Every structure is written in structure tokens, then in C-alpha cells.
Amino acid sequence: MPEWQHAAFDDIEPTPWKNGGGETRQLVAWPSPDEWRVRVSIADVTQDGPFSAFDGIRRWFTVLSGDGVRLFDDVDIRVGDKLFEFDGGLAPPCVLLGSAVRDFNVMFREDDKAGRMQVTNAQATNSLYAIGARFVGLYSVDGGSMVVNGMESIKVAPMSLVWAEDASVELTFVANGHSAAYWLHLE
């Protein structure tokens, strides 16, 4: 059975964005903070400005609360929209569509040996089969419980991420509410 790690939003101190335009809370930088392959974070956006550029990074983004944002001058993202995937090196402009927002970010360092990263809606697909996963996790806004291999139940606190590495598991998620939840799976 893999060892499950937990990171809760409220337990993490905010840090400045790479471009100095705001703050984020990094839930995980895996396998290490300095040489991460997978990075999951939550940011509070209070003003318009560009994203930080991350060359060689695939990025998934969505809005968890607030009125929404416009990226690339023509892509509106609001609460409940599917994850928006893009090249992290592009550093799109980000314009608030009203009040401040809280957003969810997954970044994946791409290269020839990286494997394949998948980030999917756990509310729409409440089960995940991860065979030989290098990294597997679940992020949930409202929390709930994740059942591992039909036996072990892991409590997922609201606004938190649970993850494990080197895992072959069948996971099922039962949410406490109807807010966003996402599977993260690195093959």
C-alpha cells in the first residue's frame, strides 16, 4: 500500500509569485521543491497581470471561487468550467472578470522522460485506476473520502491535496459537496 501525503491550504504559508505580482500556496512540488516535475498550487488573484512564464511546462488552470478571469484576451474561465490546459511558457495576460478569484494550478515539467500527466475532474469521474503511477493524487475543495483498492478509506479535508508516489491502485472518491475535485495522475 502506498504512503499517502496530505497538504491543506490553510496549513501552508503564501509565497510570492515568480513574476512578483501576487502570492500562491504550493501544495506540493514533487519530487523536490528545487527540481519538481509536478507542482500543485492555489493562488488568490486580486489584480490584473500576466502569468509567470515557465518554459517546458504544461499547465492546467481553473477558477475555484470568484467571478472568473480572461486569459489570452479571449478565454473566459469561471467557477465550474473545465480545466484549461496550455503551454506554461506563454505567460498569458490575466484579467479579472469582476472581484478577486481563487484559482487552482497544476504544472508539469515536460521532457522526453517525463511520462504522461493527466488532470481530470473527480466529480465527473469518481474512480481512477493508476497502474505503475509515478505520482497520483486528489485535490478537493469540499473534501470527502477516498477509498483505496476497495478497502482503505482516506479522509480528504476541504481545500486539500492527498498524493502518493510509485503506486498501482484503484481509487474511488466520495465528495462532501458538489465543488471541484481533481485527479492527478503521472504515468
Side-chain angles (χ1 to χ4, degrees), residues 35-166:
E35 297 183 21
W36 56 265
R37 176 142 320 277
V38 176
R39 181 178 181 264
V40 180
S41 62
I42 297 172
D44 288 315
V45 181
T46 59
Q47 62 186 14
D48 298 346
F51 271 56
S52 299
F54 288 93
D55 290 330
I57 301 299
R58 196 85 205 136
R59 195 164 184 167
W60 291 262
F61 172 88
T62 195
V63 173
L64 299 176
S65 64
D67 294 325
V69 299
R70 176 167 295 138
L71 302 182
F72 295 103
D73 298 324
D74 65 350
V75 178
D76 289 357
I77 302 171
R78 291 182 166 79
V79 174
D81 288 350
K82 71 177 198 163
L83 286 159
F84 181 67
E85 182 180 353
F86 63 99
D87 178 344
L90 296 178
C94 178
V95 177
L96 293 169
L97 298 177
S99 64
V101 300
R102 177 164 287 162
D103 64 44
F104 177 70
N105 297 276
V106 177
M107 292 190 283
F108 172 60
R109 189 174 313 279
E110 297 180 302
D111 62 30
D112 292 340
K113 299 176 185 176
R116 186 170 145 233
M117 183 73 180
Q118 297 176 3
V119 183
T120 56
N121 185 333
Q123 295 287 62
T125 307
N126 72 336
S127 294
L128 175 72
Y129 298 91
I131 307 301
R134 294 169 55 203
F135 177 95
V136 63
L138 173 75
Y139 170 78
S140 176
V141 172
D142 288 339
S145 60
M146 184 175 71
V147 179
V148 181
N149 296 331
M151 300 180 312
E152 179 186 11
S153 180
I154 297 174
K155 181 176 171 37
V156 180
M159 294 292 290
S160 67
L161 172 72
V162 294
W163 78 94
E165 54 186 76
D166 301 322

Side-chain angles (χ1 to χ4, degrees), residues 12-25:
I12 299 169
E13 291 296 320
T15 58
W17 290 347
K18 181 180 173 185
N19 68 8
E23 293 181 333
T24 190
R25 293 173 197 244

